[in-house]
DNA sequence: TAAAAAAATGTGTTCGAGCACATAATTAAA
DNA sequence: TTTAATTATGTGCTCGAACACATTTTTTTA
């Protein structure tokens, strides 16, 4: 109620010094006598002084430049929401003097990532936001940013080794457990389950780990869970491979697809007479259609939009207002059904 | 890349007028010749001028005061996260000159609501954020705010009648459909279902509506769904009433509890030998415990934290930066299981 | 002790928008 | 035409923090 907005001038008056001295104390720039310093600090503590961020910013009046390093969404549609999230955050921070340029790389070519990250560095940015798809190259970039004190944040997939710094994304092990819990609820105790890895990166193994640990902890008798890793370029006949897999494991009544490719399986199983439950990832249009149709039971949402939005926001608020970036933000693992999907798709 | 920050001074120079004139054009304060006005507008359009929000704000340097009108969380624990959400948003906007005072009312006493809303009005706020628990009284407040041009936003439950203005919350009908979809997945086709309303407000009927519509649309043969409305104060023996209900409807294998009181039922059913699936609402500690234990299958999250956070944020950004408040923001209907609950609880 | 060096403190300008006030240009009235 | 009234335009200060620079005070050195 009685909250007064104190300014540096107020502090100066209360402490009996000039605003210059107050300023030096606040930013410990030195050149202040011990007595003055103590007096000022005391006043600051007493009135709980909060600097006016607006004024601070106006004075600085710097334009901050961020580069984002993400896969080309034309090559993998998963990344469309990422772009939208970046754009949304950009829109919000532009009036505060933020500039962001997006650099795209080919998610299958580590060289392309490297090129773009070199480009980003050469442009002397204030911060970089990246999806660290390639392990070694990402570590490299991290190091270089550290050296040059460029702020950096990453999202989507986590890089071990390096400190857990400034990561935004999902806990993949827990994510696998969520999938397991869902399948457990919609199937009967005795059923067999398949895990399908389709053309995917190594970090997806964590999802399987979580998935299996759920059942291991819940049931005394080990449950029948079969893993099948499938790599194929578009040309090779995926259908055959999968049919073969299913024939070989006829007992399977639910399949966990560890990435966004659930639609491939669901489309194949559409016309089978035996109902096989599918739980997959990501709100691609293809997946959503099948979810609404009942061909996919659940999708787990990795929130690419929000990840990107938060990434930009964190960097912007750090540069503009000096806010600390949380060292790790593990986002909620959203469960999506035909009924609630419309609130998540973006 | 080449984005230059244009200022009013730049516009003035480009248009060959003084910054005073530019200012008058921008805020159409009149007193400007047609030629000057056109010239300035042309320049503004050409360079896509965006006023510097920081500077604008510094000049105004106004302290905005908001009052929030919410139920006393000590009387209904559902509201704790609401308070936290308000506090978080407040923390973020305080450095920009925002002041917010929380006013609490008794959610069972419309008079208490009225008193607090009168108090809020008498304090001449810039904005009010409210949970419109009482229909008529809330409409009143809406009207009065309109008259005095106090900005207002509401959350939690929607008020029909009045325009859908500035509402943040969940679509209750769709929420019921989500619950239905979940129960449908975890039970077999022939099972009977119960809907339980415990001590609840009329707007919960919408959840039932959505719930029933799901089954009506999905199955040709009408499904057996029994509704039971239960009002009782703490003294009366709830246990008996519910046991009676269950005995009378022995076929029931799943129950949909339309508010946060699922824990009451779940605790009663714990020791039954027949497993009855429960789907309920809200992440109260009591509910979470039972969810983790497997006594509740799913909870639907109404996001009270986020509702409140967004409510304050919208008001603040409107007052501070002139952003438009979305007329309606229907939040995602989060599905919570034992495995993902930890990411949502706050 | 005076002069020089170092340390402490104070002053004044800047950032961009907004607004009060001053001045200039135009039109209306005498 | 001259003066008054009206309208258009320009100038200068403010908001709070930051920082360069000026000034004062203290300490060190010759």
């Amino acid at each position: 109620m009685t909250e007064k907005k104190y300014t540096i001038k107020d502090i100066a008056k209360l402490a009996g010094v000039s605003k210059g001295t107050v300023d030096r104390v606040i930013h410990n720039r030195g050149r202040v006598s011990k007595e003055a310093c103590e007096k000022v600090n005391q006043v600051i503590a007493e009135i709980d002084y909060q600097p006016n961020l607006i004024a601070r910013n106006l004075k600085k009046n710097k334009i901050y430049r961020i580069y984002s390093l993400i896969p080309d969404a034309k090559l993998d549609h998963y990344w469309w929401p990422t772009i939208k999230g970046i754009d949304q955050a950009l829109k919000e921070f532009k009036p505060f003097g933020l500039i962001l340029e997006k650099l795209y790389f080919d998610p299958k070519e580590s060289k392309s990532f490297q090129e773009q990250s070199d480009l980003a560095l050469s442009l002397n940015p204030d911060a970089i936001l990246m999806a660290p798809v390639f392990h070694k190259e990402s570590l490299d970039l991290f190091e270089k940013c550290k050296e040059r004190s460029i702020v950096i944040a990453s999202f989507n997939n986590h890089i071990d080794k390096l400190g857990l710094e400034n990561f935004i994304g999902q806990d993949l092990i827990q994510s696998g457990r969520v999938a397991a819990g869902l399948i457990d609820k919609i199937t009967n105790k005795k059923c067999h389950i398949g895990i399908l890895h389709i053309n995917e990166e190594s970090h997806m193994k964590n999802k399987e780990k979580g998935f299996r640990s759920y059942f291991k902890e819940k049931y005394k008798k080990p449950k029948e869970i079969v893993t099948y890793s499938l790599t194929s370029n578009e040309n090779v006949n995926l259908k055959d491979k999968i049919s073969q897999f299913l024939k070989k494991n006829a007992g399977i009544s639910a399949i966990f697809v560890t990435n966004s490719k659930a639609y491939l399986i669901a489309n194949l199983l559409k016309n089978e007479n035996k109902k096989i439950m599918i739980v997959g990832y990501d709100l691609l249009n293809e997946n959503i259609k099948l979810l609404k149709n009942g061909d996919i039971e659940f999708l787990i949402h990795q929130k690419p939009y929000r990840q990107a939005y938060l990434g930009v926001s964190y960097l912007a608020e750090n540069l503009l207002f000096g806010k600390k970036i949380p060292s790790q933000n593990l986002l909620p693992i959203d469960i999506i059904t035909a009924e609630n999907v419309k609130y998540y798709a973006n």
Side-chain angles (χ1 to χ4, degrees), chain A residues 11 15 17 21-22 25 35-45:
Chain A
I11 299 174
V17 295
T21 303
V22 174
V25 171
E35 303 89 67
C37 183
E38 273 166 15
K39 190 85 205 28
V40 169
N41 275 323
Q42 193 186 320
V43 171
I44 286 179

Side-chain angles (χ1 to χ4, degrees), chain A residues 176-204:
Chain A
R177 295 180 62 88
V178 170
L182 292 172
I183 286 188
D184 193 27
K185 280 189 202 303
I186 60 177
T187 54
N188 61 51
K189 306 264 138 22
K190 294 149 286 174
C191 82
H192 294 190
I193 299 172
I195 299 176
L196 227 53
H197 301 290
I198 304 180
N199 284 343
E200 74 179 14
E201 300 84 21
S202 59
H203 56 257
M204 296 302 174

